[in-house]
Amino acid sequence: MIEVFVLIIVKPGNEDIVYEKLSKLPQVKEVYKVYGEYDVIIRVEVENIKGLDEFHDDILRRIKEIEMTETLIASSYGS
């Protein structure tokens, strides 16, 4: 399982629309509207890199209200 955080810039005035669309997706575990450079942050869980590619290509890129994304793959350090 891969956990990623996607930072999203939304076309102005479309934050609620994007929030609603993303919150309904099974891969999206958390959605936050935030202030600052980005408008929305989501936590996503996918099985592998191919699943992440499919999530980006088949879902995120098809949401017309999204202007830009930045994806961060989570890394954990055990003790």
Side-chain angles (χ1 to χ4, degrees):
M1 187 69 65
I2 296 175
E3 183 175 51
V4 302
F5 294 89
V6 182
L7 313 176
I8 301 169
I9 296 176
V10 175
K11 293 178 183 175
N14 290 288
E15 294 82 6
D16 290 338
I17 293 168
V18 171
Y19 181 93
E20 288 301 317
K21 287 181 178 182
L22 294 173
S23 64
K24 294 176 183 174
L25 300 172
Q27 302 93 328
V28 176
K29 304 306 177 188
E30 296 178 82
V31 184
Y32 299 97
K33 289 191 273 185
V34 296
Y35 295 102
E37 185 176 345
Y38 298 96
D39 302 304
V40 177
I41 296 175
I42 59 175
R43 183 174 67 85
V44 176
E45 288 182 2
V46 291
E47 285 295 320
N48 49 38
I49 292 295
K50 183 178 184 213
L52 179 59
D53 287 343
E54 290 169 355
F55 179 77
H56 268 280
D57 293 343
D58 298 340
I59 297 171
L60 287 184
R61 290 187 180 160
R62 294 175 191 243
I63 299 175
K64 63 181 178 171
E65 295 87 2
I66 292 178
E67 204 166 83
M68 190 197 92
T69 64
E70 182 171 346
T71 302
L72 309 171
I73 298 175
S75 173
S76 61
Y77 294 95
S79 50

